[in-house]
Amino acid sequence: MRNHDVDCVTMTQENSDARGREWSKGWSQQIGDQVRSWRAQAGLSAQDLADRTSRLGYAVSRNTVASMENGRKEQVTVQEVLVLARALQVSPIALLFPVTLGRETAPVFVMPQGFDVPSLQAALWFTGEDDHAPSDLHWLNLREAADEPTESWEALGGSDSGILEVRRLASRLVIQASALMAASQSLLELFRSAENADTRDGYRAAIALLLATTDQTEGKRVEVLKSVGLPHERPVGLTHLLASRVASMKFELGMGDDS
């Protein structure tokens, strides 16, 4: 019986280690995908990107860039993320999460054990704009996974599940607003290429409706946070970026704030 218990523990550890390695490799692949996407947008070859990193003082070779983008590189260092982001002239978080317009709901695994969550929700946690972890890191899951309740559980705020749920609702509202913005952006591209005034007016009206709904969603975010006394001001980050996009679109379409 004792040997059986030991064997079970060993198998559990091996399964956990294998899951962790797969998760780590998945993160490296995700970063590689983002590097390839941003490099293509910048019109750079892998050698161009490598040359830029060299000039920044931390060379990432062409072969390393290729291995990263092809999924052959199993681990990507913090240093590589930072210098590649600078070379690509994007924020480091843009290489970690697919949070570009239209991809905010792409699923990512934040932890080896857990469920996938929308990339924007994960990014909000990563940047500190939502300082509570996404749903796959729910405090209840952490407590159930522990052998016994610990002092750190209480320190993490496990006794106030209502506050946590309000924060998660606020995060979901940010994701909804982001999805509305993605749709607005797609219509804006059609608006720009429309050949006659009637078509442009139709796109303008549709975009105005989406932007109004975006503003309403932001209003709900503020309302739910204020209802429990949580800070609701826009942080200088992803939610601030959404507000900037709304303002920019309204300006291009000749809309006022009350449109």
Side-chain angles (χ1 to χ4, degrees):
M1 183 67 176
R2 181 66 178 175
N3 289 338
H4 175 71
D5 291 342
V6 171
D7 290 342
C8 288
V9 171
T10 301
M11 291 178 63
T12 300
Q13 183 63 48
E14 289 176 349
N15 290 337
S16 178
D17 291 346
R19 187 183 300 112
R21 287 192 297 271
E22 188 66 24
W23 171 78
S24 177
K25 186 176 180 180
W27 264 105
S28 298
Q29 179 64 70
Q30 181 169 292
I31 294 170
D33 290 344
Q34 292 298 101
V35 169
R36 182 176 59 250
S37 175
W38 285 109
R39 180 176 64 77
Q41 288 189 45
L44 299 173
S45 68
Q47 186 61 57
D48 292 334
L49 181 55
D51 291 342
R52 284 191 177 187
T53 64
S54 181
R55 289 194 292 271
L56 289 170
Y58 188 91
V60 179
S61 70
R62 185 190 65 80
N63 288 339
T64 298
V65 171
S67 295
M68 193 181 299
E69 294 182 355
N70 293 331
R72 296 194 303 270
K73 191 173 183 353
E74 294 193 359
Q75 290 188 339
V76 181
T77 67
V78 172
Q79 293 89 337
E80 287 169 335
V81 169
L82 292 176
V83 75
L84 285 168
R86 184 66 184 88
L88 291 166
Q89 298 182 336
V90 300
S91 167
I93 199 172
L95 299 187
L96 294 174
F97 300 99
V99 293
T100 52
L101 201 59
R103 300 193 63 199
E104 297 90 339
T105 58
V108 297
F109 284 87
V110 180
M111 287 287 114
Q113 299 188 46
F115 301 100
D116 60 307
V117 298
S119 60
L120 181 59
Q121 185 181 3
L124 287 169
W125 170 62
F126 187 87
T127 61
E129 294 184 39
D130 180 357
D131 58 3
H132 291 287
S135 56
D136 71 325
L137 291 180
H138 195 289
W139 306 130
L140 180 60
N141 293 341
L142 288 177
R143 191 176 196 180
E144 290 175 347
D147 293 333
E148 59 183 356
T150 63
E151 186 174 347
S152 61
W153 154 254
E154 297 300 334
L156 288 174
S159 62
D160 198 348
S161 60
I163 295 293
L164 298 182
E165 290 306 317
V166 167
R167 285 185 174 276
R168 292 192 182 96
L169 173 57
S171 293
R172 288 194 293 270
L173 289 170
V174 172
I175 293 169
Q176 290 176 18
S178 182
L180 290 166
M181 282 300 303
S184 300
Q185 182 67 38
S186 297
L187 288 180
L188 183 61
E189 295 300 325
L190 295 174
F191 169 84
R192 290 168 176 166
S193 61
E195 297 182 355
N196 62 73
D198 289 341
T199 303
R200 285 195 296 273
D201 287 343
Y203 287 134
R204 182 184 287 107
I207 294 170
L209 179 60
L210 288 172
L211 293 181
T213 307
T214 302
D215 287 338
Q216 292 170 6
T217 303
E218 164 61 10
K220 290 179 182 178
R221 182 190 73 86
V222 171
E223 183 179 338
V224 297
L225 290 176
K226 288 177 68 176
S227 69
V228 292
L230 291 174
H232 60 275
E233 295 80 7
R234 291 183 184 274
V236 182
L238 295 174
T239 50
H240 177 75
L241 180 60
L242 289 177
S244 298
R245 286 173 177 167
V246 170
S248 177
M249 283 190 184
K250 286 184 175 181
F251 178 80
E252 180 173 346
L253 297 172
M255 301 176 182
D257 291 335
D258 57 349
S259 298

